[in-house]
Amino acid sequence: VQLQASGGGLVQAGGSLRLSCAASGRTFSMYVMGWFRQAPGKEREFVAAISGSGGNTRYADSVKGRFTISRDNAKNTVYLQMNSLKPEDTAVYYCALARTFLPIASPSEYGYWGQGTQVTVSS
């Protein structure tokens, strides 16, 4: 499985961005996809995850109500719509795949990672 994240950029506080993560492989629709982020000097943290069918989602408290994770299994792609962005959302964002069926937050459960895309929110 290969994952390719895109869509990052520079945006003002209060703005929006949509990240995409394209995956290779025939089994994409079976497994959980997640988004994580890592700011300079900080540990990688969970942002959101979605089940294979898209019917179950999970969010970090810090992004609930602002971010939405979704997936299009026909396109082997997962999205992260980020609204009402704050300077503290600035980080490198990574997509990841976990060979499990319910959305999980632990990075150690994800066996496949994309290369990351930079999101910078200016105040």
Side-chain angles (χ1 to χ4, degrees), residues 2-121:
Q2 292 186 327
L3 304 175
Q4 181 75 33
S6 61
L10 174 63
V11 64
Q12 289 188 333
S16 298
L17 280 175
R18 188 176 81 154
L19 305 183
S20 299
C21 176
S24 64
R26 299 179 183 179
T27 59
F28 172 80
S29 63
M30 294 177 63
Y31 298 122
V32 165
M33 291 296 297
W35 285 98
F36 293 79
R37 66 187 181 186
Q38 188 166 19
K42 295 188 177 182
E43 293 187 354
R44 190 168 298 189
E45 66 172 356
F46 170 75
V47 175
I50 187 168
S51 63
S53 67
N56 288 300
T57 58
R58 183 173 179 176
Y59 296 93
D61 288 343
S62 58
V63 306
K64 278 181 183 176
R66 300 189 298 124
F67 290 12
T68 302
I69 189 170
S70 62
R71 66 191 297 160
D72 184 340
N73 287 338
K75 296 181 178 180
N76 273 23
T77 301
V78 63
Y79 305 98
L80 185 68
Q81 177 67 44
M82 306 186 295
N83 299 328
S84 302
L85 282 161
K86 305 175 181 180
E88 51 263 44
D89 294 318
T90 295
V92 177
Y93 283 70
Y94 298 90
C95 59
L97 182 147
R99 292 189 183 274
T100 187
F101 304 109
L102 292 177
I104 49 176
S106 173
S108 64
E109 299 294 327
Y110 289 77
Y112 301 90
W113 292 83
Q115 86 289 0
T117 185
Q118 177 70 47
V119 172
T120 302
V121 184

